[in-house]
Amino acid sequence: MTPDPARGYALAALTGDLKIPAAKSATIRSLVEKRMDAELFAMSYDYVGDMAETVALIWTDVNYSPPKFTEVVEELQKSNKASAAIALEKWMDRLDTTGRWALLKLATGGLRVGVSARLAKMALAQEFEASVDEVEEIWHSIEPPYDDLFRWLEGSGEKPNYALGAGFRPVMLANPLEEGLLSQLDPLSYVAEWKWDGIRVQAISRDGKKKLYTRTGEDIGYSFPDILNSLDFDAVIDGELLIRDQKSNKLQEAAPFSTLQKRLGRKRPSTKIISEMPAFIRAYDLLFEGEEDLRGFAFEDRRKRLEIWAKNAPSTIDISATIPFKTWQELSKIRSEARETGIEGLMLKRKSSFYLPGRPKNQWYKWKREPLTLDLVLMYAQRGHGRRSSYYSDFTLGAWSDAETLVPVCKAYSGYTDKELVKIDKWVREHTNDRFGPVRSVTPGLVLEIAFDAAQYSKRHKSGVALRFPRIKRLRWDKPISEAETLQHVKSLIQEPQS
Amino acid sequence: MQGIKFDWLKSCPEGLYCQPADCFIDPARAVPRALITHGHADHARPGHEKVLATKETLKIMKVRYPSDLAQHQQLNFGEKIRIGEVTVWLAPAGHILGSAQVVMEYQGQRAVVSGDYKRQADPTAIPFEPITCDLFVTEATFALPVFRHPKPESQLEKLLSSLQAFPERPHLLGVYGLGKCQRILLLLRDLGFDAPIYLHGALVGLTELYRSMGFDFGNLLPVQGVAKSDLSSALVLAPPSATIDRWSRRFTDPRIGIASGWMQVRGRARQRRAEIPLIISDHADWDDLLRTCNETQAETVWITHGREDALAYELGKRGQKAIPLRLSGRQEESE
């Protein structure tokens, strides 16, 4: 087994928690340009497209005697820019191509090996036969190289103390409501709420620390200083992050998801952005109040506590209202009539449900709105990955911008059955008119029915529109392409004003 | 163009043309008289009236173009002939079986057209011989300092350790069908791999030709007709494009390898979906290109295809006049 502290640092490198601020891409570039012709380096970088990889390949082997991983991490962590450059240069001379690549990626924080932070934690939990939720729970209160974590996992130490920290708590998620399930559920045992179309967040304020996490535990506080500054309480809140719709008269109205996206992309929003797109949290749940852990209480009890707590909540937090109903039929009608942009559908929460991490069965259900559909024309197909790499499985679909011109409006790569995929793949091969690497352009001739959640304006796409969560619903072999949708019709489905 | 004038050799749409011999070297279109450096399809095309090449290259062309009516003339390495006013002879290029450099001497000047070449050892090809000349025509497929080909044995060890680590999974290795395939078969046998090796149908004919010329590849079996269950732990060689195309669906959960100089770059390996990228190339790498251009002592170097700008830049720095020709019709990807 990898010894401490190397295993902890390695884990941190995989989860993206290993921070080495002193090493930058520019540092590496300056190292290589000291040793070789800048012109040749530029041509090479142009060709390879990745700084660390180009340098790793171009560096001449000197003397292979690789440094220890721990030595590298610890020395880099206490380095400043100048000393980090000296250390990197020294180690590069002692490594081979792969080693140099790994070193540079490690130092600049890009050591991606196709593993998400979540997967790394799952592997860790599996190795020590622990629960991944417990690992998630303490994750944000511990730091590399995680000596206390490993001692606890190996049974030789206490579980690291996390309850008082401002760390992320694993989130409880809902299962999709399968067709026919409703008839087996008792409406009296469930509370219904809107499923708001923002991003799920956890807002924490304790011990003077304020944090805003996504549902996967990513800290996004820096993008939302307006929220962060307002957290003047001692509690942990679960809710939906939304943008207040400035154009609506109703103060409670949430702007469409595309508005939120504009803020999510900004690391440091300007005051202008904040005033134009003010964020707020619509609270679903209260996990901690003061030091009291409420997660072991039933949902209806937590809900009562949340309602009382919310009376003194800052103006950036309101409560997600519950929807009164008596029968499923009644609720179904409410659901189908809701067309506001900020609503994705309904949530059903069992009144007796504890706040359990992960996606526990039979507790919460999401009942999404019926998707919208469009008949679009297949324009391009791209090879898939992994199991699907011998199939053309990723499709670009278009709508008519005029009688003769198709413009791409979405990409879809799911929703079909294996058998349908075989058929589309065959069709693509028989109707290819051009190839660009892994992409084939096809002669228009196949209409696919696409289901999606919303249409929105997009500056990124030539057509000016983008669809959310597009997936293939049906193959329309029967439908002539001339009867596919027009771009004008697609645009008419957008419910937001054009900015 | 500075330096010595070579008005008797020029770059035309069809390819390089030697005027006083009235013949083309590796022309991209059918011509009356062609000198062919080696059998790869972007150098050896069908439809010429007369073809001059090594015995091996002619045999390869016959297998590839069985109905081609070209009149073949064989030329051995070092054997000099006169074509028009030019003395022509061939020197080994080390690229694949039968691959040659074309040496042309005219009015006291010597020009060498090297075709494709490499300096690494290859059990299927006679090693490259540097020929002193006034004009050297070189390829530049891997002409960037990021390309430094490791020893092929070290790469094949990766494949062998994967076969050991995943004995229950078939291994598909994508190889170019002429040259790379046979080189790798021999190297695998040299490394002690003596299990049967399966071949994709497209590789069988040329490998058979090698065998008829005395190469011993051990036990080779065609994939065609073998049940899926019997291929569950097989090592299979196939053209690179087949490893992720429909043909590959006959294998259960295969591990995909690609043997090519391009595998040096991670993005290329990803594009090819190669889990086991093997950096094995039949072209010269950066260091060998520079070394070779230097050894020819040529005052002028013409660069046919590849990353010609980088090579021209570096040769210029070293005092050789280097000129990119930008010949059309060369498939740089086909390695």
Side-chain angles (χ1 to χ4, degrees):
Chain A
M1 186 189 297
T2 313
D4 285 320
R7 61 174 170 175
Y9 289 131
L11 180 62
L14 293 178
T15 58
D17 292 296
L18 194 65
K19 302 280 184 271
I20 298 173
K24 296 265 177 288
S25 196
T27 320
I28 295 168
R29 188 179 200 131
S30 68
L31 283 182
V32 76
E33 287 183 347
K34 211 165 76 182
R35 292 205 175 189
M36 75 170 293
D37 188 298
E39 190 80 17
L40 269 183
F41 177 75
M43 290 188 213
S44 301
Y45 175 51
D46 252 11
Y47 182 81
V48 176
D50 179 283
M51 178 66 67
E53 186 176 355
T54 312
V55 175
L57 287 170
I58 231 167
W59 202 269
T60 314
D61 289 344
V62 180
N63 173 30
Y64 189 72
S65 60
K68 289 267 176 285
F69 176 63
T70 303
E71 170 196 337
V72 168
V73 172
E74 292 182 345
E75 191 168 335
L76 282 177
Q77 280 186 327
K78 54 178 194 235
S79 294
N80 58 27
K81 267 188 194 168
S83 57
I86 294 167
L88 285 171
E89 186 169 14
K90 168 185 75 187
W91 291 321
M92 299 262 279
D93 282 342
R94 292 169 51 187
L95 288 160
D96 60 6
T97 307
T98 313
R100 289 190 290 265
W101 175 81
L103 171 71
L104 296 177
K105 286 293 185 185
L106 181 80
T108 54
L111 188 64
R112 280 185 223 104
V113 289
V115 172
S116 67
R118 172 80 183 169
L119 194 62
K121 291 171 202 164
M122 278 166 72
L124 177 76
Q126 199 175 318
E127 174 66 21
F128 291 98
E129 294 173 5
S131 117
V132 66
D133 295 321
E134 277 192 284
V135 173
E136 284 278 19
E137 184 154 71
I138 58 175
W139 191 259
H140 287 267
S141 2
I142 56 179
E143 285 190 352
Y146 309 122
D147 292 339
D148 44 354
L149 169 75
F150 284 108
R151 275 203 304 277
W152 165 62
L153 287 170
E154 286 168 342
S156 60
E158 292 288 304
K159 185 168 176 177
N161 191 5
Y162 64 94
L164 298 177
F168 169 74
R169 272 79 189 172
V171 170
M172 177 160 176
L173 301 169
N175 289 294
L177 186 72
E178 303 294 340
E179 228 170 294
L181 185 69
L182 270 189
S183 59
Q184 299 165 35
L185 304 179
D186 176 7
L188 293 179
S189 304
Y190 287 85
V191 173
E193 288 175 54
W194 294 117
K195 182 172 173 18
W196 298 100
D197 191 10
I199 64 163
R200 185 86 175 276
V201 288
Q202 193 171 89
I204 301 180
S205 178
R206 25 186 17 177
D207 307 339
K209 285 186 187 160
K210 297 170 180 179
K211 290 280 181 186
L212 188 66
Y213 295 111
T214 66
R215 70 185 184 119
T216 52
E218 193 192 337
D219 188 342
I220 52 165
Y222 49 79
S223 291
F224 298 92
D226 43 343
I227 297 275
L228 218 51
N229 292 333
S230 75
L231 305 180
D232 57 349
F233 48 76
D234 188 355
V236 178
I237 304 295
D238 179 341
E240 194 85 9
L241 181 68
L242 296 163
I243 300 296
R244 192 139 358 245
D245 193 349
Q246 299 298 87
K247 297 180 182 101
S248 157
N249 297 324
K250 285 179 276 179
L251 204 62
Q252 296 306 306
E253 198 84 0
F257 185 76
S258 52
T259 314
L260 175 59
Q261 263 180 329
K262 287 177 198 152
R263 277 206 59 178
L264 281 171
R266 283 171 208 271
K267 293 246 159 167
R268 271 180 201 82
S270 63
T271 20
K272 180 164 172 279
I273 295 276
I274 292 175
S275 69
E276 280 172 5
M277 296 183 263
F280 71 105
I281 292 173
R282 189 149 281 169
Y284 293 133
D285 223 318
L286 182 62
L287 310 189
F288 282 79
E289 187 173 7
E291 292 195 4
E292 189 184 6
D293 187 347
L294 303 180
R295 292 174 298 172
F297 293 11
F299 176 74
E300 54 180 349
D301 296 330
R302 294 201 306 276
R303 176 80 202 184
K304 277 177 203 146
R305 294 280 295 266
L306 175 68
E307 285 168 8
I308 296 165
W309 177 87
K311 286 180 183 149
N312 296 313
S315 62
T316 51
I317 299 184
D318 65 15
I319 298 195
S320 173
T322 56
I323 304 163
F325 71 100
K326 292 205 172 57
T327 64
W328 292 130
Q329 205 181 359
E330 186 187 344
L331 189 61
S332 177
K333 189 158 173 283
I334 294 171
R335 167 177 167 268
S336 58
E337 283 168 3
R339 276 292 155 200
E340 287 91 336
T341 48
I343 291 173
E344 248 191 298
L346 287 174
M347 292 294 297
L348 303 179
K349 294 179 177 171
R350 215 164 87 174
K351 290 177 180 170
S352 63
S353 60
F354 303 136
Y355 194 92
L356 302 168
R359 214 182 282 277
K361 291 211 167 89
N362 311 323
Q363 305 298 320
W364 292 2
Y365 296 103
K366 52 185 175 192
W367 191 10
K368 284 207 180 178
R369 249 178 7 196
E370 286 300 327
L372 300 160
T373 63
L374 284 171
D375 290 330
L376 299 174
V377 182
L378 181 58
M379 297 178 69
Y380 303 98
Q382 186 171 357
R383 275 178 191 283
H385 287 262
R387 201 171 63 87
R388 283 194 193 154
S389 56
S390 73
Y391 294 93
Y392 285 89
S393 63
D394 300 5
F395 307 112
T396 302
L397 300 133
W400 296 105
S401 67
D402 61 50
E404 276 138 38
T405 319
L406 283 167
V407 288
V409 295
C410 76
K411 267 188 153 185
Y413 34 86
S414 66
Y416 41 69
T417 63
D418 285 355
K419 276 187 187 156
E420 284 172 330
L421 177 58
V422 171
K423 284 187 192 161
I424 309 177
D425 176 73
K426 184 163 179 283
W427 190 91
V428 166
R429 290 165 191 276
E430 286 164 359
H431 295 83
T432 301
N433 60 24
D434 208 350
R435 297 174 189 217
F436 323 89
V439 179
R440 286 184 184 219
S441 155
V442 296
T443 308
L446 178 59
V447 175
L448 301 174
E449 184 178 336
I450 303 300
F452 60 100
D453 289 0
Q456 57 194 41
Y457 289 111
S458 162
K459 288 202 179 100
R460 227 177 300 163
H461 299 88
K462 206 169 118 193
S463 61
V465 294
L467 307 182
R468 282 194 77 198
F469 301 133
R471 59 264 183 198
I472 286 158
K473 195 178 171 203
R474 262 194 305 168
L475 313 189
R476 298 296 307 266
W477 302 107
D478 56 311
K479 194 154 192 168
I481 54 166
S482 58
E483 287 174 26
E485 311 290 359
T486 61
L487 182 60
Q488 197 184 0
H489 173 71
V490 179
K491 283 185 172 163
S492 74
L493 300 173
I494 302 176
Q495 296 202 341
E496 62 187 290
Q498 188 159 17
S499 51
Chain B
M1 212 179 282
Q2 296 175 341
I4 301 169
K5 278 218 161 147
F6 282 92
D7 48 6
W8 53 279
L9 191 64
K10 57 186 176 187
S11 173
C12 303
E14 293 89 346
L16 281 173
Y17 178 62
C18 179
Q19 204 161 26
D22 189 23
C23 77
F24 289 87
I25 300 110
D26 291 352
R29 301 178 203 164
V31 298
R33 184 187 263 281
L35 278 160
I36 305 292
T37 59
H38 66 284
H40 281 147
D42 49 340
H43 293 258
R45 291 172 195 270
H48 308 307
E49 281 170 35
K50 287 181 184 164
V51 169
L52 186 69
T54 61
K55 177 178 74 182
E56 294 81 4
T57 299
L58 293 174
K59 282 190 174 178
I60 290 165
M61 289 179 76
K62 268 188 196 133
V63 170
R64 291 205 138 166
Y65 313 121
S67 56
D68 190 30
L69 299 172
Q71 182 191 326
H72 284 179
Q73 185 185 348
Q74 176 188 324
L75 192 58
N76 300 322
F77 287 125
E79 181 189 340
K80 294 190 176 179
I81 56 164
R82 288 283 286 189
I83 306 178
E85 302 157 57
V86 183
T87 303
V88 175
W89 51 284
L90 301 178
H95 177 54
I96 61 165
L97 175 67
S99 67
Q101 310 175 66
V102 176
V103 184
M104 288 167 287
E105 292 161 357
Y106 175 66
Q107 291 185 347
Q109 289 184 325
R110 181 190 280 169
V112 173
V113 179
S114 57
D116 290 337
Y117 63 94
K118 71 169 173 291
R119 308 298 298 270
Q120 271 186 342
D122 177 345
T124 67
I126 300 173
F128 179 95
E129 274 173 29
I131 308 293
T132 330
C133 56
D134 304 296
L135 169 68
F136 184 59
V137 183
T138 181
E139 56 142 322
T141 310
F142 291 108
L144 278 176
V146 293
F147 292 111
R148 292 206 171 85
H149 304 326
K151 287 203 163 60
E153 291 82 1
S154 72
Q155 301 298 299
L156 289 169
E157 291 290 356
K158 292 199 275 185
L159 175 68
L160 295 179
S161 39
S162 173
L163 281 160
Q164 273 185 342
F166 300 96
E168 75 296 354
R169 290 176 68 182
H171 283 63
L172 308 188
L173 182 64
V175 293
Y176 198 53
L178 171 58
K180 191 74 66 67
C181 169
Q182 296 77 19
R183 180 185 181 198
I184 282 178
L185 287 171
L186 288 182
L187 285 172
L188 282 169
R189 296 310 188 199
D190 272 358
L191 287 168
F193 184 82
D194 50 14
I197 299 174
Y198 289 84
L199 293 186
H200 181 286
L203 306 182
V204 172
L206 285 164
T207 305
E208 213 34 66
L209 174 71
Y210 274 62
R211 186 131 66 180
S212 73
M213 288 191 265
F215 291 97
D216 179 10
F217 300 113
N219 190 6
L220 301 182
L221 299 168
V223 171
Q224 186 75 36
V226 181
K228 197 170 186 169
S229 54
D230 293 335
L231 293 167
S232 62
S233 58
L235 171 60
V236 185
L237 266 52
S241 58
T243 55
I244 54 166
D245 209 345
R246 281 180 289 187
W247 175 83
S248 70
R249 292 179 200 162
R250 70 188 67 210
F251 303 97
T252 311
D253 195 21
R255 293 207 89 206
I256 310 285
I258 301 278
S260 156
W262 301 114
M263 293 298 106
Q264 185 76 266
V265 178
R266 278 162 201 274
R268 290 290 191 112
R270 257 198 311 276
Q271 235 173 39
R272 289 291 201 171
R273 313 274 191 268
E275 277 185 273
I276 317 167
L278 305 183
I279 309 159
I280 302 179
S281 174
D282 286 333
H283 293 269
D285 66 5
W286 175 248
D287 293 332
D288 283 346
L289 286 168
L290 294 175
R291 171 163 73 105
T292 305
C293 291
N294 179 47
E295 283 173 359
T296 63
Q297 298 171 29
E299 189 166 326
T300 308
V301 176
W302 289 359
I303 307 169
T304 53
H305 60 291
R307 265 120 295 277
E308 52 268 49
D309 292 341
L311 186 58
Y313 172 82
E314 182 64 22
L315 290 175
K317 270 189 2 191
R318 296 175 183 217
Q320 277 178 310
K321 302 264 175 322
I323 297 144
L325 293 182
R326 308 192 196 285
L327 279 190
S328 58
R330 291 283 187 268
Q331 298 168 356
E332 61 158 70
E333 300 298 319
S334 67
E335 216 261 337

